[in-house]
Amino acid sequence: MPHNDAPTLLPPSITLRRATPADLPALAEADGRAFGQHYSDEHLEEIRRLFDPDRFLVAVDAGEIVGITGSYPFDVTLPGGAALPAAGVTWVSVAVTHRRRGILRALMAEQHRAFVADGLPVSLLTASEGAIYGRFGYGVATEHREAEVTRRRAVLRRDVPDTGGVRQVGTAELRRIAPELHRRWAAQTPGALSRDDAWWDVLLADHEWQRGGATALFHLAHPDGYVSYRIDRGAQTCRVVDMATATDEAYTALWRTLLALDLVETVLARSLTPAEPVQFLLADPRQVRTVGQYDGMWARVLDVPAVLSARRYGTELDVVLDVRDPFLDRGGRFRLRGGPDGAECTPAAGAAPVATIEVTALGSLLFGGADAGSLARAGLLAAEPAVVRRLATAFRGERAPQHGTEF
Ligand SMILES: CC(C)(COP(=O)(O)OP(=O)(O)OC[C@H]1O[C@@H](n2cnc3c(N)ncnc32)[C@H](O)[C@@H]1OP(=O)(O)O)[C@@H](O)C(=O)NCCC(=O)NCCS
């Protein structure tokens, strides 16, 4: 199993401190340098809506901000429907002049110590590069599948009922109806993140810089779901931006309507799950062409008993797990008794474990996205084959996880 217990060796001139409201322009400047963009004043005002300085840490060298990490508060849904409070780690960067000196490691250590002190059970992030966050205990928890649908040839199976119910609505109306629809979607989708009013306002502000050269947003609404999209007229493409459905009927009706958009050759969806129902709705499933598959959201378990007690399992399970967590030392032995109707996970220091698992792999299993068998073959989970099979069945959810909000 991999080892990672590199010490924090911060250069002496560098100090860490909590951000203040006045830091925002300097934070945006530093972030823009790291990610290659300039923020306008309007954009900065937009960011201010989500910015809580108490949730941001900065590294300072001679008065200059040279490192940042922050977080947003979310609730995240577990298999079975329970939601847990989670920190969504964001705005991570270190100045190009100060890289590979341990600043990120120091920021991460401090930030995650605070998460633990606050009693948070899990932290989440989306990663700019895949090699950064495993060392801090994060594992890939949701996936993005990017697919192109050849609209003219994508016809729903004849036996799929056309139940209608779809209306085109403007952004103001969507802003009113979508939060409730999204909540209903999130309650049944493992990995789904909650959206508060500030998030809705920012996502639907629909500024020029959010459009990537395509039109402003269009929306289709159904009593049980909605989809927002843009049209890239040059490419004759409809880009699905956001979709949340609380019933299969809404899902089918909204896809049927998207596929009726004359003058569009391709419907591009960036966040499909690996076995998305739309392909099975079509007479010819090959018309949903996967053009990319990427890690989506990463999860880091901070409180093993809290998260494993809160989720539900596909089969009855009674196991002692030995969780390895070199970065935060939140691992150890835990007894997990659970099933479809409930679960209890408690520390079990003296018990003999049947499986040893890296905390990264536990993050990958948390929302039911990963396969325990694959993790075992990759050396992140060690157990007898029968135990691996049982864990695989227990941790898999009925539905592939989706986080729904990029942060
Ligand atoms: C990623 C970034 C924050 C790293 O900051 P840093 O201060 O150089 O990182 P540290 O020196 O603390 O490195 C900590 C460890 O991560 C490794 N690491 C850091 N950046 C890495 C990268 N991009 N790829 C692979 N490993 C990386 C270091 O080698 C070090 O490894 P070790 O613990 O085995 O010694 C910085 O390179 C950056 O700002 N990049 C551009 C913006 C970005 O991608 N941010 C992340 C957004 S999700």
Side-chain angles (χ1 to χ4, degrees):
M1 293 220 167
H3 282 268
N4 187 355
D5 24 34
T8 303
L9 294 170
L10 204 55
S13 66
I14 290 168
T15 52
L16 305 190
R17 67 162 170 81
R18 202 169 275 224
T20 68
D23 283 328
L24 185 58
L27 289 179
E29 183 84 28
D31 185 81
R33 286 175 183 157
F35 291 98
Q37 62 173 324
H38 292 289
Y39 288 100
S40 64
D41 290 347
E42 192 188 20
H43 201 164
L44 216 60
E45 281 319 301
E46 195 74 17
I47 290 167
R48 207 179 281 282
R49 305 179 75 107
L50 298 173
F51 174 61
D52 176 356
D54 284 346
R55 303 185 66 104
F56 278 65
L57 269 180
V58 293
V60 178
D61 189 1
E64 292 281 318
I65 290 179
V66 295
I68 310 170
T69 187
S71 73
Y72 297 128
F74 292 113
D75 288 331
V76 65
T77 309
L78 295 178
L84 287 179
V89 171
T90 186
W91 278 71
V92 174
S93 76
V94 169
V96 66
T97 49
H98 286 68
R99 286 188 186 152
R100 307 304 180 265
R101 302 178 195 178
I103 295 178
L104 175 66
R105 177 172 281 278
L107 286 166
M108 288 274 126
E110 188 62 28
Q111 182 185 39
H112 286 74
R113 267 198 293 270
F115 291 160
V116 170
D118 289 345
L120 278 173
V122 59
S123 54
L124 309 165
L125 54 79
T126 55
S128 60
E129 291 186 87
I132 302 173
Y133 293 105
R135 61 177 48 74
F136 304 125
Y138 286 83
V140 176
T142 70
E143 301 219 39
H144 282 304
R145 173 182 168 214
E146 188 172 335
E148 290 178 355
V149 186
T150 312
R151 193 198 63 80
R152 285 178 199 280
R153 285 195 239 136
V155 178
L156 266 60
R157 292 186 343 258
R158 272 200 214 147
D159 60 301
V160 175
D162 184 354
T163 52
V166 176
R167 296 181 302 130
Q168 286 204 286
V169 298
T171 297
E173 181 169 357
L174 191 89
R175 175 68 185 83
R176 277 196 303 278
I177 62 177
E180 175 59 19
L181 297 170
H182 186 273
R183 262 193 295 279
R184 289 172 58 205
W185 166 81
Q188 42 185 290
T189 307
L193 301 177
S194 58
R195 279 187 196 163
D196 61 17
D197 281 343
W199 270 106
W200 279 109
D201 290 341
V202 166
L203 291 173
L204 291 178
D206 202 12
H207 296 287
E208 192 73 39
W209 72 74
Q210 294 168 304
R211 296 180 190 163
T215 63
L217 289 171
F218 294 99
H219 314 279
L220 299 172
H222 180 281
D224 296 318
Y226 69 87
V227 59
S228 301
Y229 62 93
R230 305 182 188 286
I231 300 292
D232 177 344
R233 282 197 296 182
Q236 292 179 290
T237 294
C238 161
R239 295 188 206 152
V240 176
V241 173
D242 187 25
M243 183 169 188
T245 55
T247 62
D248 296 338
E249 192 177 301
Y251 179 89
T252 302
L254 289 167
W255 267 108
R256 187 187 288 282
T257 313
L258 282 175
L259 296 176
L261 285 169
D262 283 347
L263 311 184
V264 162
E265 294 300 323
T266 307
V267 178
L268 176 65
R270 292 224 155 98
S271 303
L272 297 188
T273 56
E276 186 79 17
V278 65
Q279 72 208 51
F280 304 108
L281 282 171
L282 298 184
D284 176 0
R286 200 184 287 173
Q287 298 310 325
V288 181
R289 254 186 349 277
T290 300
V291 292
Q293 185 138 346
Y294 322 99
D295 52 285
M297 185 172 74
W298 298 55
R300 142 118 235 155
V301 174
L302 299 165
D303 184 336
V304 176
V307 296
L308 294 188
S309 299
R311 64 159 284 174
R312 300 293 170 259
Y313 300 85
T315 186
E316 296 297 331
L317 197 65
D318 185 352
V319 287
V320 174
L321 302 175
D322 191 0
V323 179
R324 291 195 70 259
D325 180 7
F327 178 58
L328 276 190
D329 202 19
R330 300 287 294 163
R333 294 181 183 182
F334 303 91
R335 182 171 181 193
L336 168 62
R337 278 168 290 184
D341 301 320
E344 186 185 26
C345 180
T346 48
V354 295
T356 303
I357 183 166
E358 294 293 324
V359 73
T360 54
L362 202 56
S364 295
L365 290 174
L366 187 58
F367 304 119
D371 170 41
S374 299
L375 296 168
R377 290 173 63 194
L380 296 171
L381 164 65
E384 291 297 324
V387 175
V388 173
R389 275 197 297 277
R390 198 151 187 84
L391 292 172
T393 313
F395 274 86
R396 269 282 194 200
E398 270 170 37
R399 227 172 234 227
Q402 274 181 307
H403 56 284
T405 303
E406 300 307 317
F407 58 97

